[in-house]
Amino acid sequence: LQKKFTEDIFRSVNKEYEFEGIDLSDVVFNDNGDILKLIEGRLGLIDILNEECLRPMGSDSAFVNKIYANNKKVGSPLFSKRGFQSKEFGIHHYAGKVKYDASDIVMKNTDALPPDVINCVVKCNNSIIATKFQQRQNQIDKATTASTLKHLTVWTKFSNQLSKLMDSIAKTNTRYVRCMVPNKEKKPLVTDLRFTATQLHYAGIVSAVTISREAFPEKMDMDTVVERFSFMQSAYGKARHCKDDKSREKVTELLAFLLEDFAESTGDKSPFLCGKTRTYFKDGVLEYLEAKRILAFGLVAMKIQHAFRRRQLKLHSSATIIQCMVRQRNADRALLTARVLHEKDLKEESLRALRQQSSVTTLAKISRFRSFSFRSKEKNKEGMMRRIKQKITVIGMFSKKPKKKKRNINEQKNVD
């Protein structure tokens, strides 16, 4: 069953690699074929045990001695340790080393019933039991050679049944389900990690994973490779790979550039292979790319910060120049406005001074004119009064009327 499981895993991996166009001629997969050869092969455990069952003096110790005598090759899964008894032997299975005790194994494998017991059961009134044991009695009667008797042993029967089972399984689409016991106490929600890991190892899961990861343990779709690693070219000083170009040649060129240092340090000239739709990486390559990707993020971040700070500096200098120009323009406008206002104030002050000067001159002229006119008027009044008086005197002299009383000069002025 483990061999079938290994072959299915290998077949699935081989089928995937063939579809991707990858050669698996140099890939070696380890299986348990040597253990099966030890058990079922020529002069294996089954043949030697059946031979001991057919021998009149066959014994368990002879069986153990024969299997060690016939399997002395280097690298044989059969092993022995100091302290093993004469009836003990060990086999190194794919899951680990197992020690077996061959006590009474010859007798148990013979599976022979006494002839008296068989004759008694054949005469049973139950037809089903009688028919079954009659067939057994007929097989024993027809077994005239050792090869025929060999097929009646327990181990041979089990091996034949297992072969039929494997033939039936080979005709189906196999699916594997591994059941794990989380803890020895069988408690819910409790997992014993060491106990579970031991089951994974002994059930062949670790071996299956090793087979699937033997050549290229890590794989990734080409779309994912381009999406995750294309920016790293520009980060490390090369023209950036176009994300839309996901061809096999471009992905190979991209990874060859990124893994150049890795290939030089490890001496592996082909740390990856590109298939039709996927890229396969050897052990440690993808971890190297992920670490390099993190460093590339730092480099890209530095470039972005540099560009941003440079843009900010340009904006700051541009803003400073604009502020300087605006302030200069505002200062020029303020200066021009101050000049206009100053000139306006000067004009107003000069006009005011002129007005004041003209008003003073005018007032002076008016005052002089008034004083002159007043004096001239007084002189005219006095002359008129004298002339009037003279006329009145002349008239009075001719009319001889009584003289009126002279008025006061002020009253006369009022009358005038």
Side-chain angles (χ1 to χ4, degrees):
L1 289 173
Q2 179 63 26
K3 182 181 179 182
K4 178 68 169 57
F5 179 64
T6 304
E7 288 178 351
D8 289 342
I9 295 297
F10 174 77
R11 190 180 298 111
S12 62
V13 173
N14 189 19
K15 185 177 180 180
E16 179 182 352
Y17 282 15
E18 287 180 356
F19 174 77
E20 295 291 339
I22 297 174
D23 186 15
L24 281 178
S25 58
D26 297 333
V27 180
V28 179
F29 293 95
N30 297 322
D31 57 7
N32 60 340
D34 53 348
I35 302 172
L36 295 177
K37 184 178 179 181
L38 172 65
I39 297 174
E40 299 179 344
R42 185 175 178 273
L43 297 177
L45 300 183
I46 295 178
D47 289 348
I48 296 174
L49 181 59
N50 290 332
E51 183 181 352
E52 288 297 315
C53 292
L54 296 176
R55 287 178 64 245
M57 299 298 293
S59 63
D60 301 330
S61 301
F63 165 70
V64 174
N65 293 331
K66 284 183 179 180
I67 61 175
Y68 276 114
N70 290 305
N71 295 277
K72 294 181 179 180
K73 294 181 180 180
V74 178
S76 175
L78 190 68
F79 73 95
S80 63
K81 287 184 178 181
R82 184 179 298 177
F84 275 12
Q85 302 297 326
S86 60
K87 298 180 182 180
E88 293 178 347
F89 65 95
I91 298 177
H92 193 176
H93 292 277
Y94 66 92
K97 295 181 179 180
V98 180
K99 184 179 74 171
Y100 294 93
D101 188 358
S103 299
D104 299 329
I105 190 172
V106 175
M107 182 187 66
K108 293 177 182 178
N109 186 58
T110 303
D111 192 25
L113 291 176
D116 297 339
V117 175
I118 296 177
N119 293 330
C120 180
V121 175
V122 168
K123 296 178 182 180
C124 180
N125 295 328
N126 191 323
S127 59
I128 298 176
I129 297 175
T131 303
K132 276 291 183 182
F133 276 88
Q134 185 63 46
Q135 294 175 0
R136 185 182 181 90
Q137 181 65 32
N138 295 334
Q139 290 176 357
I140 294 174
D141 294 339
K142 292 178 181 179
T144 57
T145 61
S147 61
T148 307
L149 291 173
K150 186 173 65 174
H151 288 286
L152 299 178
T153 60
V154 175
W155 205 336
T156 304
K157 292 178 182 179
F158 174 75
S159 179
N160 294 335
Q161 293 174 3
L162 185 60
S163 297
K164 293 179 181 179
L165 175 63
M166 296 306 299
D167 293 338
S168 300
I169 292 175
K171 298 177 182 178
T172 61
N173 294 325
T174 312
R175 298 291 185 271
Y176 295 93
V177 178
R178 297 284 188 178
C179 299
M180 299 295 162
V181 181
N183 56 78
K184 296 180 180 179
E185 295 80 10
K186 298 181 180 180
K187 295 181 179 179
L189 303 177
V190 177
T191 301
D192 188 348
L193 296 179
R194 181 174 294 180
F195 181 65
T196 306
T198 304
Q199 292 180 79
L200 291 174
H201 178 70
Y202 289 160
I205 303 298
V206 177
S207 178
V209 174
T210 303
I211 290 174
S212 63
R213 295 167 63 92
E214 187 71 27
F216 300 96
E218 295 163 339
K219 58 187 176 181
M220 186 178 293
D221 294 338
M222 286 191 179
D223 297 343
T224 308
V225 171
V226 173
E227 184 179 355
R228 290 182 66 84
F229 304 121
S230 60
F231 79 96
M232 295 170 61
Q233 283 186 320
S234 60
Y236 291 103
K238 189 177 180 181
R240 184 170 183 175
H241 177 81
C242 181
K243 281 191 174 182
D244 297 332
D245 191 356
K246 300 176 183 179
S247 62
R248 186 174 182 177
E249 292 76 13
K250 293 297 182 181
V251 174
T252 303
E253 181 183 355
L254 170 64
L255 293 177
F257 171 74
L258 296 178
L259 295 174
E260 184 177 359
D261 297 338
F262 181 84
E264 292 179 357
S265 60
T266 58
D268 190 357
K269 296 182 179 180
S270 58
F272 69 94
L273 282 178
C274 290
K276 296 179 180 178
T277 59
R278 293 180 178 178
T279 304
Y280 296 85
F281 302 93
K282 289 187 177 180
D283 189 19
V285 177
L286 196 57
E287 289 80 357
Y288 174 80
L289 285 175
E290 291 294 338
K292 198 169 183 178
R293 181 170 177 262
I294 295 175
L295 295 177
F297 275 131
L299 296 176
V300 172
M302 289 176 60
K303 290 183 178 181
I304 293 174
Q305 290 178 354
H306 175 70
F308 179 76
R309 290 171 180 172
R310 184 176 181 180
R311 184 172 178 272
Q312 288 293 106
L313 184 61
K314 287 183 177 180
L315 291 176
H316 180 72
S317 61
S318 301
T320 304
I321 294 172
I322 293 172
Q323 289 176 355
C324 180
M325 294 174 63
V326 170
R327 289 170 180 171
Q328 184 178 0
R329 183 181 176 185
N330 293 336
D332 294 341
R333 286 185 177 180
L335 181 60
L336 181 61
T337 303
R339 286 179 179 177
V340 171
L341 293 175
H342 182 65
E343 291 177 356
K344 187 176 180 180
D345 292 340
L346 290 177
K347 288 181 180 180
E348 289 180 355
E349 289 180 359
S350 60
L351 289 175
R352 193 180 299 112
L354 291 174
R355 288 174 183 174
Q356 291 179 356
Q357 185 177 1
S358 61
S359 61
V360 170
T361 306
T362 304
L363 290 174
K365 290 180 179 180
I366 291 171
S367 60
R368 286 197 300 271
F369 177 75
R370 284 182 178 179
S371 59
F372 175 76
S373 61
F374 181 74
R375 288 194 299 270
S376 61
K377 283 182 179 181
E378 287 183 350
K379 288 180 181 181
N380 292 332
K381 287 179 180 181
E382 292 177 356
M384 289 177 65
M385 289 297 294
R386 284 195 300 271
R387 285 193 297 272
I388 290 170
K389 287 179 180 181
Q390 290 175 3
K391 290 180 179 180
I392 291 170
T393 304
V394 172
I395 292 170
M397 290 178 60
F398 286 100
S399 61
K400 295 182 181 180
K401 291 181 180 181
K403 296 182 181 179
K404 295 181 181 180
K405 188 178 181 180
K406 292 184 180 180
R407 297 180 180 177
N408 192 4
I409 295 174
N410 292 330
E411 292 179 356
Q412 186 64 33
K413 288 181 180 179
N414 291 331
V415 172
D416 293 338

